[in-house]
Coordinates of all heavy atoms in Angstrom, one line a residue:
M1 N 12.1 -3.3 7.7 CA 11.4 -2.3 7.0 C 10.9 -1.2 8.0 O 10.3 -1.4 9.0 CB 10.1 -3.0 6.4 CG 9.3 -2.1 5.6 SD 7.8 -2.9 5.0 CE 8.5 -4.3 4.1
A2 N 11.2 0.0 7.6 CA 11.0 1.2 8.5 C 9.5 1.4 8.8 O 9.0 1.8 9.9 CB 11.5 2.4 7.9
N3 N 8.6 1.1 7.8 CA 7.2 1.3 8.0 C 6.4 0.1 8.5 O 5.2 0.1 8.5 CB 6.6 1.7 6.7 CG 7.1 3.1 6.2 OD1 7.1 4.0 6.9 ND2 7.6 3.2 5.0
D4 N 7.1 -0.9 9.0 CA 6.4 -2.1 9.5 C 5.6 -1.7 10.7 O 6.1 -1.2 11.7 CB 7.5 -3.2 9.8 CG 7.0 -4.6 9.7 OD1 5.8 -4.8 9.1 OD2 7.6 -5.5 10.1
Q5 N 4.4 -2.1 10.6 CA 3.5 -1.8 11.8 C 2.4 -3.0 11.9 O 2.1 -3.5 10.8 CB 2.8 -0.4 11.7 CG 2.0 -0.3 10.5 CD 1.4 1.2 10.4 OE1 1.3 1.8 11.5 NE2 1.2 1.6 9.2
E6 N 1.8 -3.2 13.0 CA 0.7 -4.1 13.2 C -0.6 -3.5 13.1 O -0.9 -2.6 13.9 CB 0.9 -4.9 14.5 CG -0.1 -6.1 14.5 CD -0.1 -6.8 15.9 OE1 0.6 -6.4 16.8 OE2 -1.0 -7.7 16.1
L7 N -1.5 -3.8 12.2 CA -2.9 -3.3 12.0 C -3.7 -4.5 11.6 O -3.4 -5.3 10.8 CB -2.9 -2.3 11.0 CG -2.3 -0.9 11.3 CD1 -2.2 -0.1 10.1 CD2 -3.1 -0.2 12.4
G8 N -4.9 -4.6 12.3 CA -5.8 -5.7 11.9 C -5.2 -7.1 12.2 O -5.7 -8.1 11.6
G9 N -4.3 -7.2 13.1 CA -3.7 -8.4 13.5 C -2.6 -9.0 12.6 O -2.1 -10.1 12.8
L10 N -2.2 -8.2 11.6 CA -1.1 -8.6 10.7 C -0.1 -7.5 10.6 O -0.4 -6.3 10.7 CB -1.7 -8.9 9.3 CG -2.5 -10.1 9.1 CD1 -3.1 -10.2 7.8 CD2 -1.6 -11.4 9.4
W11 N 1.2 -7.9 10.5 CA 2.3 -6.9 10.2 C 2.4 -6.7 8.8 O 2.1 -7.5 7.9 CB 3.6 -7.5 10.8 CG 3.6 -7.5 12.3 CD1 3.1 -8.5 13.1 CD2 4.1 -6.4 13.2 NE1 3.2 -8.1 14.4 CE2 3.9 -6.9 14.5 CE3 4.8 -5.3 13.0 CZ2 4.4 -6.2 15.6 CZ3 5.2 -4.5 14.1 CH2 5.0 -5.0 15.4
C12 N 2.9 -5.5 8.4 CA 3.1 -5.0 7.0 C 4.0 -6.2 6.3 O 3.5 -6.5 5.2 CB 3.9 -3.7 6.9 SG 2.9 -2.3 7.5
H13 N 5.0 -6.6 6.8 CA 5.8 -7.7 6.1 C 5.0 -8.9 5.8 O 5.3 -9.6 4.9 CB 7.1 -8.0 6.9 CG 6.9 -8.8 8.1 ND1 6.8 -8.1 9.4 CD2 6.8 -10.1 8.4 CE1 6.6 -9.1 10.3 NE2 6.7 -10.3 9.8
E14 N 4.0 -9.2 6.7 CA 3.1 -10.4 6.4 C 2.2 -10.1 5.3 O 1.9 -11.0 4.5 CB 2.3 -10.8 7.7 CG 3.2 -11.2 8.8 CD 2.5 -11.5 10.1 OE1 1.7 -10.6 10.6 OE2 2.6 -12.7 10.6
I15 N 1.7 -8.9 5.3 CA 0.8 -8.4 4.1 C 1.6 -8.6 2.8 O 1.1 -9.2 1.9 CB 0.4 -7.0 4.2 CG1 -0.3 -6.8 5.6 CG2 -0.3 -6.5 3.1 CD1 -1.7 -7.5 5.6
L16 N 2.8 -8.0 2.8 CA 3.6 -8.1 1.5 C 4.0 -9.6 1.1 O 3.9 -9.9 0.0 CB 4.9 -7.3 1.7 CG 4.6 -5.9 2.1 CD1 6.0 -5.1 2.1 CD2 3.7 -5.2 1.1
Q17 N 4.2 -10.4 2.2 CA 4.6 -11.8 1.8 C 3.3 -12.5 1.2 O 3.5 -13.4 0.3 CB 5.0 -12.5 3.0 CG 6.4 -12.3 3.5 CD 6.8 -12.8 4.8 OE1 5.9 -13.4 5.5 NE2 8.1 -12.5 5.3
G18 N 2.1 -12.2 1.7 CA 0.9 -12.9 1.2 C 0.2 -12.2 0.2 O -0.9 -12.6 -0.3
L19 N 0.7 -11.1 -0.4 CA 0.0 -10.2 -1.3 C -0.4 -10.9 -2.5 O -1.5 -10.8 -3.1 CB 0.8 -8.9 -1.5 CG -0.1 -7.7 -2.1 CD1 -1.2 -7.4 -1.1 CD2 0.8 -6.6 -2.3
S20 N 0.5 -11.7 -3.1 CA 0.3 -12.3 -4.4 C -0.7 -13.4 -4.3 O -1.7 -13.5 -5.1 CB 1.6 -12.9 -5.0 OG 2.1 -13.9 -4.1
D21 N -0.8 -14.1 -3.1 CA -1.9 -15.1 -2.9 C -3.2 -14.4 -2.6 O -4.2 -14.8 -3.1 CB -1.5 -15.9 -1.6 CG -0.4 -16.9 -1.8 OD1 -0.2 -17.3 -3.1 OD2 0.2 -17.4 -0.9
Y22 N -3.1 -13.3 -2.0 CA -4.3 -12.5 -1.7 C -5.0 -12.0 -3.0 O -6.1 -12.2 -3.3 CB -4.0 -11.2 -0.9 CG -5.1 -10.2 -0.7 CD1 -6.2 -10.5 0.1 CD2 -5.0 -9.0 -1.4 CE1 -7.2 -9.5 0.2 CE2 -6.0 -8.1 -1.3 CZ -7.2 -8.3 -0.4 OH -8.1 -7.4 -0.3
L23 N -4.1 -11.4 -3.9 CA -4.6 -11.0 -5.2 C -5.1 -12.1 -6.1 O -6.0 -11.9 -7.0 CB -3.5 -10.1 -5.9 CG -3.1 -8.8 -5.2 CD1 -1.9 -8.2 -5.9 CD2 -4.3 -7.8 -5.3
A24 N -4.5 -13.3 -6.0 CA -4.8 -14.4 -6.8 C -6.1 -15.1 -6.2 O -6.7 -16.0 -6.8 CB -3.7 -15.4 -6.8
G25 N -6.5 -14.6 -5.0 CA -7.8 -15.3 -4.4 C -7.4 -16.6 -3.7 O -8.3 -17.4 -3.5
D26 N -6.1 -16.8 -3.4 CA -5.7 -18.1 -2.9 C -5.8 -18.2 -1.4 O -5.6 -19.2 -0.7 CB -4.3 -18.5 -3.3 CG -4.3 -18.9 -4.8 OD1 -5.4 -19.2 -5.3 OD2 -3.2 -18.9 -5.4
L27 N -5.9 -17.1 -0.7 CA -6.0 -16.9 0.8 C -7.3 -17.5 1.3 O -8.4 -17.2 0.7 CB -5.7 -15.5 1.3 CG -4.3 -15.0 1.2 CD1 -4.2 -13.6 1.8 CD2 -3.3 -15.9 1.9
P28 N -7.3 -18.2 2.4 CA -8.5 -18.5 3.1 C -9.3 -17.3 3.5 O -8.7 -16.2 3.7 CB -8.1 -19.2 4.4 CG -6.7 -19.7 4.1 CD -6.1 -18.7 3.1
K29 N -10.6 -17.3 3.6 CA -11.5 -16.2 3.8 C -11.1 -15.3 5.0 O -11.0 -14.1 5.1 CB -12.9 -16.5 3.9 CG -13.6 -16.6 2.5 CD -15.1 -16.8 2.7 CE -15.8 -17.0 1.3 NZ -17.2 -17.3 1.5
T30 N -10.7 -16.1 6.1 CA -10.4 -15.4 7.4 C -9.2 -14.5 7.2 O -9.0 -13.4 7.7 CB -10.2 -16.4 8.5 OG1 -9.3 -17.4 8.1 CG2 -11.5 -17.0 8.9
Q31 N -8.1 -15.1 6.5 CA -6.8 -14.4 6.3 C -7.1 -13.2 5.3 O -6.5 -12.2 5.5 CB -5.8 -15.4 5.7 CG -5.0 -16.2 6.8 CD -3.9 -16.9 6.1 OE1 -3.2 -16.4 5.3 NE2 -3.8 -18.2 6.5
A32 N -7.9 -13.5 4.2 CA -8.2 -12.4 3.3 C -8.8 -11.3 4.0 O -8.5 -10.1 3.7 CB -9.0 -12.9 2.2
A33 N -9.8 -11.5 4.9 CA -10.4 -10.5 5.7 C -9.4 -9.7 6.6 O -9.6 -8.4 6.7 CB -11.5 -11.1 6.6
Q34 N -8.5 -10.4 7.1 CA -7.4 -9.7 7.9 C -6.6 -8.8 7.0 O -6.3 -7.7 7.4 CB -6.5 -10.7 8.6 CG -7.1 -11.3 9.8 CD -6.0 -12.2 10.6 OE1 -5.5 -13.1 9.9 NE2 -5.8 -12.0 11.8
V35 N -6.3 -9.3 5.8 CA -5.5 -8.4 4.9 C -6.3 -7.2 4.5 O -5.8 -6.0 4.5 CB -5.1 -9.2 3.6 CG1 -4.5 -8.4 2.6 CG2 -4.2 -10.4 4.0
D36 N -7.6 -7.4 4.2 CA -8.6 -6.3 3.9 C -8.5 -5.2 5.0 O -8.4 -4.1 4.7 CB -10.0 -6.8 3.7 CG -10.3 -7.3 2.3 OD1 -9.5 -7.0 1.4 OD2 -11.1 -8.2 2.2
L37 N -8.6 -5.7 6.3 CA -8.7 -4.8 7.4 C -7.3 -4.0 7.5 O -7.3 -2.8 7.7 CB -8.9 -5.7 8.6 CG -9.2 -4.8 9.9 CD1 -10.6 -4.1 9.7 CD2 -9.4 -5.8 11.1
H38 N -6.3 -4.7 7.3 CA -4.9 -4.0 7.3 C -4.9 -3.0 6.2 O -4.4 -1.8 6.5 CB -3.8 -5.0 7.2 CG -2.4 -4.5 7.4 ND1 -1.7 -4.6 8.5 CD2 -1.7 -3.7 6.6 CE1 -0.5 -4.0 8.4 NE2 -0.5 -3.4 7.1
L39 N -5.3 -3.4 5.0 CA -5.1 -2.5 3.9 C -6.0 -1.2 4.1 O -5.6 -0.1 3.5 CB -5.5 -3.2 2.6 CG -4.5 -4.2 2.1 CD1 -5.0 -4.9 0.9 CD2 -3.2 -3.6 1.8
T40 N -7.1 -1.3 4.7 CA -8.0 -0.2 4.9 C -7.4 0.8 5.9 O -7.7 1.9 5.9 CB -9.4 -0.5 5.4 OG1 -9.3 -1.2 6.6 CG2 -10.1 -1.4 4.4
Q41 N -6.4 0.4 6.7 CA -5.8 1.2 7.9 C -4.5 1.6 7.6 O -3.9 2.5 8.3 CB -5.9 0.4 9.1 CG -7.4 0.1 9.6 CD -7.4 -0.8 10.9 OE1 -6.9 -0.3 11.9 NE2 -8.1 -1.8 10.8
C42 N -3.8 0.9 6.7 CA -2.3 1.2 6.4 C -2.0 1.9 5.1 O -2.1 1.2 4.1 CB -1.6 -0.1 6.6 SG 0.2 0.1 6.5
P43 N -1.6 3.1 5.1 CA -1.4 3.9 3.9 C -0.2 3.2 3.2 O -0.2 3.2 1.9 CB -1.0 5.2 4.3 CG -1.5 5.4 5.7 CD -1.6 4.0 6.3
H44 N 0.8 2.7 3.8 CA 1.9 2.2 3.2 C 1.6 0.9 2.4 O 2.0 0.8 1.2 CB 3.1 1.8 4.3 CG 4.2 1.1 3.7 ND1 5.1 1.7 2.9 CD2 4.6 -0.2 3.9 CE1 6.0 0.8 2.6 NE2 5.8 -0.3 3.2
C45 N 0.8 0.0 3.0 CA 0.4 -1.2 2.3 C -0.6 -1.0 1.2 O -0.6 -1.7 0.2 CB -0.1 -2.2 3.3 SG 1.2 -3.0 4.3
T46 N -1.5 0.0 1.4 CA -2.4 0.4 0.4 C -1.7 0.9 -0.8 O -2.1 0.5 -2.0 CB -3.3 1.5 0.9 OG1 -4.0 1.1 2.1 CG2 -4.4 1.9 -0.1
Q47 N -0.7 1.7 -0.7 CA 0.1 2.2 -1.9 C 0.8 1.0 -2.5 O 0.7 0.9 -3.7 CB 1.1 3.3 -1.4 CG 1.9 3.8 -2.5 CD 1.1 4.5 -3.6 OE1 0.1 5.2 -3.4 NE2 1.4 4.1 -4.9
F48 N 1.5 0.2 -1.7 CA 2.2 -0.9 -2.3 C 1.3 -1.9 -3.0 O 1.5 -2.4 -4.1 CB 3.0 -1.6 -1.2 CG 3.9 -2.7 -1.7 CD1 5.2 -2.4 -2.1 CD2 3.5 -4.0 -1.9 CE1 6.0 -3.3 -2.7 CE2 4.3 -4.9 -2.5 CZ 5.5 -4.6 -2.8
G49 N 0.2 -2.1 -2.3 CA -0.9 -3.1 -2.9 C -1.4 -2.6 -4.2 O -1.6 -3.4 -5.1
A50 N -1.6 -1.3 -4.3 CA -2.2 -0.8 -5.6 C -1.2 -0.9 -6.7 O -1.5 -1.3 -7.8 CB -2.5 0.7 -5.4
D51 N 0.1 -0.6 -6.4 CA 1.2 -0.7 -7.4 C 1.4 -2.2 -7.8 O 1.4 -2.5 -9.0 CB 2.5 -0.2 -6.8 CG 2.5 1.3 -6.7 OD1 1.6 2.0 -7.1 OD2 3.4 1.8 -5.9
F52 N 1.4 -3.0 -6.8 CA 1.5 -4.4 -7.1 C 0.4 -5.1 -7.9 O 0.7 -5.8 -8.9 CB 1.7 -5.2 -5.7 CG 2.2 -6.6 -5.9 CD1 3.5 -6.9 -5.9 CD2 1.3 -7.7 -6.0 CE1 4.0 -8.1 -6.0 CE2 1.8 -9.0 -6.1 CZ 3.1 -9.3 -6.1
S53 N -0.8 -4.7 -7.5 CA -1.9 -5.1 -8.2 C -1.9 -4.7 -9.7 O -2.3 -5.5 -10.6 CB -3.2 -4.6 -7.5 OG -4.4 -5.0 -8.2
K54 N -1.5 -3.5 -10.0 CA -1.4 -2.9 -11.3 C -0.4 -3.7 -12.1 O -0.6 -4.1 -13.3 CB -1.1 -1.4 -11.2 CG -1.5 -0.6 -12.4 CD -1.5 0.9 -12.1 CE -0.1 1.4 -12.2 NZ -0.1 2.9 -11.9
L55 N 0.7 -3.9 -11.5 CA 1.8 -4.6 -12.2 C 1.4 -6.1 -12.5 O 1.6 -6.6 -13.6 CB 3.0 -4.7 -11.3 CG 4.2 -5.4 -11.9 CD1 4.8 -4.6 -13.0 CD2 5.3 -5.8 -10.9
L56 N 0.7 -6.8 -11.5 CA 0.3 -8.1 -11.7 C -0.7 -8.2 -12.9 O -0.5 -9.1 -13.7 CB -0.4 -8.6 -10.5 CG -0.5 -10.1 -10.2 CD1 1.0 -10.7 -10.0 CD2 -1.3 -10.4 -9.0
K57 N -1.6 -7.2 -13.0 CA -2.5 -7.3 -14.2 C -1.8 -7.0 -15.5 O -2.1 -7.6 -16.4 CB -3.5 -6.1 -13.9 CG -4.6 -6.5 -13.0 CD -5.6 -5.4 -12.8 CE -6.7 -5.8 -11.7 NZ -7.3 -4.6 -11.1
Q58 N -0.7 -6.2 -15.4 CA 0.1 -5.9 -16.6 C 0.7 -7.2 -17.1 O 0.7 -7.6 -18.2 CB 1.1 -4.9 -16.4 CG 0.7 -3.4 -16.5 CD 1.9 -2.5 -16.3 OE1 2.7 -2.7 -15.5 NE2 1.9 -1.4 -17.0
V59 N 1.3 -7.8 -16.1 CA 2.1 -9.2 -16.4 C 1.1 -10.2 -16.9 O 1.4 -10.9 -17.9 CB 2.8 -9.7 -15.1 CG1 3.4 -11.1 -15.4 CG2 3.9 -8.8 -14.7
Q60 N -0.1 -10.3 -16.3 CA -1.1 -11.3 -16.7 C -1.6 -11.0 -18.1 O -2.2 -11.9 -18.7 CB -2.2 -11.4 -15.7 CG -1.7 -12.1 -14.4 CD -2.8 -11.9 -13.3 OE1 -3.6 -11.1 -13.3 NE2 -2.7 -12.7 -12.3
S61 N -1.7 -9.7 -18.5 CA -2.2 -9.3 -19.8 C -1.3 -9.4 -21.0 O -1.7 -9.2 -22.0 CB -2.8 -7.9 -19.7 OG -1.8 -7.0 -19.5
L62 N 0.0 -9.7 -20.6 CA 0.9 -9.8 -21.7 C 0.6 -11.0 -22.6 O 0.2 -12.1 -22.2 CB 2.4 -10.1 -21.1 CG 3.0 -8.9 -20.4 CD1 4.4 -9.3 -19.8 CD2 3.1 -7.7 -21.4
S63 N 0.7 -10.8 -23.9 CA 0.4 -11.8 -24.9 C 1.4 -13.0 -24.9 O 1.1 -14.0 -25.3 CB 0.2 -11.2 -26.3 OG 1.4 -10.5 -26.6
K64 N 2.6 -12.6 -24.6 CA 3.7 -13.6 -24.5 C 4.3 -13.8 -23.1 O 5.4 -13.1 -22.9 CB 4.7 -13.3 -25.6 CG 4.2 -13.3 -27.0 CD 5.3 -12.9 -28.0 CE 4.7 -12.8 -29.4 NZ 5.7 -12.2 -30.3
P65 N 3.7 -14.4 -22.2 CA 4.2 -14.5 -20.8 C 5.6 -14.9 -20.7 O 6.2 -14.5 -19.8 CB 3.1 -15.5 -20.2 CG 2.0 -15.5 -21.1 CD 2.5 -15.2 -22.5
P66 N 6.1 -15.9 -21.5 CA 7.4 -16.4 -21.2 C 8.6 -15.3 -21.2 O 9.6 -15.4 -20.6 CB 7.7 -17.4 -22.3 CG 6.4 -17.8 -22.7 CD 5.5 -16.7 -22.6
S67 N 8.4 -14.2 -22.1 CA 9.4 -13.2 -22.2 C 8.8 -11.9 -21.9 O 8.0 -11.3 -22.6 CB 10.0 -13.2 -23.7 OG 8.9 -12.9 -24.6
L68 N 9.2 -11.4 -20.7 CA 8.8 -10.0 -20.3 C 9.4 -9.0 -21.1 O 10.6 -9.1 -21.6 CB 9.2 -9.8 -18.7 CG 8.3 -10.3 -17.7 CD1 8.9 -10.0 -16.3 CD2 6.9 -9.5 -17.7
S69 N 8.7 -8.0 -21.4 CA 9.3 -6.7 -22.1 C 10.3 -6.2 -21.1 O 10.3 -6.2 -19.9 CB 8.2 -5.8 -22.4 OG 7.7 -5.2 -21.3
P70 N 11.3 -5.3 -21.7 CA 12.2 -4.6 -20.9 C 11.5 -3.7 -19.9 O 11.9 -3.6 -18.8 CB 13.0 -3.8 -21.9 CG 12.9 -4.6 -23.2 CD 11.5 -5.2 -23.2
E71 N 10.4 -3.2 -20.3 CA 9.6 -2.3 -19.4 C 9.2 -3.1 -18.2 O 9.1 -2.7 -17.2 CB 8.5 -1.6 -20.1 CG 9.0 -0.5 -21.1 CD 9.4 -1.2 -22.5 OE1 9.1 -2.4 -22.7 OE2 10.0 -0.5 -23.3
G72 N 8.6 -4.3 -18.6 CA 8.0 -5.1 -17.6 C 9.0 -5.7 -16.6 O 8.7 -5.7 -15.4
Q73 N 10.2 -6.0 -17.1 CA 11.2 -6.5 -16.3 C 11.7 -5.3 -15.3 O 11.9 -5.6 -14.1 CB 12.5 -6.9 -17.1 CG 12.2 -8.2 -17.8 CD 13.5 -8.6 -18.6 OE1 14.6 -8.3 -18.3 NE2 13.2 -9.2 -19.8
A74 N 11.8 -4.1 -15.8 CA 12.2 -2.9 -15.0 C 11.2 -2.7 -13.9 O 11.5 -2.4 -12.8 CB 12.3 -1.7 -15.9
A75 N 9.8 -2.8 -14.3 CA 8.8 -2.5 -13.4 C 8.7 -3.6 -12.3 O 8.6 -3.3 -11.1 CB 7.4 -2.5 -14.1
L76 N 9.0 -4.9 -12.7 CA 9.0 -6.0 -11.8 C 10.2 -5.8 -10.7 O 10.0 -6.0 -9.5 CB 9.1 -7.3 -12.5 CG 8.9 -8.6 -11.6 CD1 7.7 -8.6 -10.9 CD2 9.2 -9.8 -12.5
W77 N 11.3 -5.4 -11.3 CA 12.5 -5.3 -10.4 C 12.3 -4.2 -9.5 O 12.6 -4.2 -8.3 CB 13.7 -5.0 -11.4 CG 15.0 -4.8 -10.5 CD1 15.7 -3.7 -10.4 CD2 15.7 -5.9 -9.8 NE1 16.8 -3.9 -9.6 CE2 16.8 -5.2 -9.2 CE3 15.4 -7.2 -9.7 CZ2 17.7 -5.9 -8.4 CZ3 16.3 -7.9 -8.8 CH2 17.4 -7.3 -8.3
Q78 N 11.6 -3.1 -9.9 CA 11.4 -2.0 -9.0 C 10.4 -2.4 -7.9 O 10.6 -2.0 -6.7 CB 10.6 -0.8 -9.8 CG 10.7 0.5 -9.1 CD 10.1 1.6 -9.9 OE1 9.6 1.3 -11.0 NE2 10.2 2.8 -9.5
V79 N 9.4 -3.3 -8.2 CA 8.5 -3.6 -7.2 C 9.2 -4.5 -6.2 O 9.1 -4.5 -5.0 CB 7.3 -4.3 -7.8 CG1 6.5 -5.1 -6.7 CG2 6.4 -3.4 -8.4
L80 N 10.0 -5.5 -6.7 CA 10.7 -6.4 -5.9 C 11.7 -5.8 -4.9 O 11.9 -6.3 -3.8 CB 11.4 -7.4 -6.8 CG 10.6 -8.5 -7.5 CD1 11.3 -9.3 -8.4 CD2 9.7 -9.3 -6.6
T81 N 12.3 -4.6 -5.3 CA 13.3 -4.0 -4.5 C 12.7 -2.8 -3.8 O 13.4 -2.1 -3.1 CB 14.5 -3.5 -5.4 OG1 14.0 -2.7 -6.4 CG2 15.2 -4.7 -6.0
H82 N 11.4 -2.6 -4.0 CA 10.7 -1.4 -3.4 C 10.8 -1.6 -1.8 O 10.5 -2.6 -1.2 CB 9.3 -1.4 -3.8 CG 8.5 -0.2 -3.3 ND1 7.8 -0.2 -2.1 CD2 8.3 1.0 -3.8 CE1 7.2 0.9 -1.9 NE2 7.6 1.7 -2.9
G83 N 11.1 -0.4 -1.2 CA 11.0 -0.4 0.3 C 12.2 -1.1 1.0 O 12.1 -1.3 2.2
D84 N 13.2 -1.5 0.2 CA 14.3 -2.2 0.8 C 15.3 -1.3 1.6 O 15.6 -0.3 1.0 CB 15.1 -3.0 -0.2 CG 16.1 -4.0 0.3 OD1 16.3 -3.9 1.6 OD2 16.8 -4.6 -0.4
Ligands
ZN1 ZN1 0.9 -2.2 6.4

């Protein structure tokens, strides 16, 4: 990843790997604090995190979780392939 950089003791790719756990509140406090620190200093991860967070809320708010709408699938695919 071209924008990979180390901030707050974590690399961007580590942020992206742990982002779903972070948003779900599954990370230990020390790790979550490191992610917070990185996100406050890294524009790239802040933007990605905001998009990912928005999408996650959309997915979670769907009334029928087993079948994603075509729009939802397209949005998910876009996030999964973002920055590749
Ligand atoms: Zn970053």
Side-chain angles (χ1 to χ4, degrees):
M1 180 184 306
N3 294 312
D4 208 8
Q5 59 181 335
E6 187 189 0
L7 287 167
L10 288 171
W11 289 83
C12 290
H13 70 268
E14 294 177 307
I15 298 295
L16 301 184
Q17 280 169 1
L19 199 57
S20 58
D21 286 341
Y22 170 74
L23 291 171
D26 287 343
L27 284 183
K29 273 185 183 176
T30 50
Q31 274 187 46
Q34 280 186 306
V35 174
D36 277 336
L37 192 61
H38 185 105
L39 289 177
T40 60
Q41 299 176 51
C42 182
H44 175 66
C45 286
T46 302
Q47 178 59 46
F48 186 89
D51 290 347
F52 192 87
S53 176
K54 206 163 79 177
L55 180 75
L56 203 67
K57 280 178 187 159
Q58 274 183 326
V59 171
Q60 287 170 342
S61 69
L62 290 176
S63 53
K64 295 174 184 171
S67 59
L68 272 177
S69 69
E71 293 81 13
Q73 289 180 29
L76 185 61
W77 181 248
Q78 194 179 6
V79 167
L80 291 175
T81 58
H82 184 270
D84 190 356

